[in-house]
């Protein structure tokens, strides 16, 4: 309590406080009391991964594009915004769509009805991984058939791979060897899934062309005289000729 005309008081505890002012008229003896509620708040920023039937801790790791959600556990706040380290700012939003690979920090800033603020940051909260695949041919051999050795040029750890060689044959090993028995041009398709569940597909059209070698040549003139020059033209066909 205070008997001062304009007192100053420090509240020790947060919450709602009832303040009363009682006045009296020294001449008439009349009195009057007024009551007002004072709300004392201190915002505390706090958040974590959202865990429910549709979201789990495993959502902290994924493949773009991926939407993630936060659990806002802050106290005594009226407004908040979330700063994602990829540049996005969410005003009163706990969700965000990642479109790029990388490791991302998350910062939440909360403010109460009086404008008081608090900030919390979780570093490296989300990890988004992407895959970029490529492949080539390291060796080709064979006559009646063609043995092709494929090589995976990707640098990502894969949980599974599937090669489609274009003639109905497939393989699930990383750097397969494959035999083509029939002449023709073949598309080769490489399907991958990383250890983080990221998927990618690369198709190279008419990548493999197999034709058996056939020797043939022609001359500019089949009837010549002694010591005349003869021109020969190699007309052989086949892969690598």
């Amino acid at each position: 309590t205070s008997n001062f005309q304009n007192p100053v008081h420090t509240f020790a505890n947060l919450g709602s406080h009832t303040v009363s002012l009682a006045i009296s008229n020294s001449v008439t003896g009349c009195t009057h009391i007024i009551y007002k509620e004072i709300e004392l708040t201190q915002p505390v920023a706090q958040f974590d991964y959202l865990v429910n039937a549709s979201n789990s801790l495993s959502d902290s790791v994924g493949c773009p594009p991926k939407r993630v959600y936060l659990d806002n556990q802050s106290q005594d706040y009226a407004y908040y915004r979330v700063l994602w380290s990829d540049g996005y700012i969410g005003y009163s939003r706990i969700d965000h769509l990642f479109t790029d690979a990388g490791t991302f920090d998350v910062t939440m800033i909360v403010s109460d009805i009086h404008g008081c603020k608090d900030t919390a940051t979780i570093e490296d909260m989300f990890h988004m991984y992407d895959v970029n695949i490529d492949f080539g041919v390291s060796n080709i051999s064979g006559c009646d058939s063609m043995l092709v050795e494929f090589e995976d040029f990707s640098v990502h750890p894969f949980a599974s791979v599937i090669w489609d060689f274009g003639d109905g044959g497939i393989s699930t090993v990383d750097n397969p060897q494959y035999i083509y028995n029939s002449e023709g041009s073949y598309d080769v398709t490489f399907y991958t899934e990383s250890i983080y569940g990221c998927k990618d597909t690369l198709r190279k059209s008419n990548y493999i062309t197999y034709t058996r070698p056939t020797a043939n040549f022609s001359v500019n003139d089949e009837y010549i005289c002694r010591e005349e020059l003869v021109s020969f033209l190699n007309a052989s066909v086949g892969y690598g000729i």
Side-chain angles (χ1 to χ4, degrees):
T1 62
S2 174
N3 294 318
F4 290 115
Q5 182 77 16
N6 299 296
V8 176
H9 179 70
T10 299
F11 292 94
N13 299 316
L14 300 175
S16 182
H17 302 271
T18 301
V19 180
S20 62
L21 173 63
I23 61 173
S24 62
N25 189 309
S26 59
V27 177
T28 63
C30 299
T31 61
H32 182 253
I33 300 177
I34 185 173
Y35 298 91
K36 287 189 176 182
E37 294 292 326
I38 300 296
E39 187 72 23
L40 183 61
T41 63
Q42 180 180 347
V44 177
Q46 183 175 338
F47 63 96
D48 205 340
Y49 302 103
L50 179 63
V51 177
N52 55 26
S54 302
N55 303 275
S56 66
L57 293 176
S58 63
D59 290 327
S60 64
V61 177
C63 315
K66 182 177 179 63
R67 187 171 297 278
V68 299
Y69 298 85
L70 302 177
D71 181 13
N72 187 355
Q73 302 171 353
S74 304
Q75 303 174 15
D76 290 339
Y77 70 94
Y79 315 99
Y80 71 93
R81 67 181 186 271
V82 181
L83 283 62
W84 306 81
S85 62
D86 63 350
Y88 176 74
I89 301 177
Y91 294 92
S92 298
R93 293 193 60 152
I94 60 170
D95 65 305
H96 177 50
L97 178 66
F98 285 111
T99 57
D100 297 309
T103 301
F104 301 95
D105 306 335
V106 182
T107 298
M108 179 176 288
I109 302 174
V110 299
S111 58
D112 64 12
I113 57 177
H114 307 299
C116 303
K117 297 181 179 181
D118 191 36
T119 300
T121 299
I122 298 180
E123 297 181 348
D124 301 336
M125 187 174 187
F126 290 96
H127 302 260
M128 296 292 119
Y129 296 92
D130 204 354
V131 290
N132 294 290
I133 63 176
D134 193 14
F135 66 87
V137 170
S138 60
N139 190 38
I140 295 176
S141 61
C143 295
D144 294 333
S145 60
M146 186 168 67
L147 174 64
V148 181
E149 297 181 15
F150 292 92
E151 183 176 1
D152 175 16
F153 294 152
S154 310
V155 295
H156 309 280
F158 291 125
S160 64
V161 299
I162 299 176
W163 296 82
D164 184 339
F165 301 111
D167 65 346
I170 63 172
S171 175
T172 57
V173 301
D174 196 31
N175 296 299
Q177 295 180 338
Y178 189 71
I179 297 176
Y180 288 92
N181 293 299
S182 301
E183 294 181 301
S185 295
Y186 301 96
D187 301 341
V188 178
T189 307
F190 188 32
Y191 304 92
T192 64
E193 182 174 356
S194 74
I195 59 176
Y196 306 108
C198 308
K199 298 180 180 180
D200 197 10
T201 300
L202 175 61
R203 173 173 294 168
K204 295 187 178 182
S205 300
N206 298 320
Y207 187 61
I208 298 296
T209 299
Y210 173 40
T211 55
R212 294 183 177 89
T214 301
N216 191 18
F217 70 92
S218 61
V219 296
N220 62 332
D221 193 345
E222 295 182 1
Y223 303 97
I224 58 176
C225 298
R226 184 179 179 179
E227 296 184 356
E228 284 190 49
L229 293 177
V230 181
S231 298
F232 295 91
L233 177 64
N234 185 357
S236 303
V237 296
Y239 182 82
I241 299 301

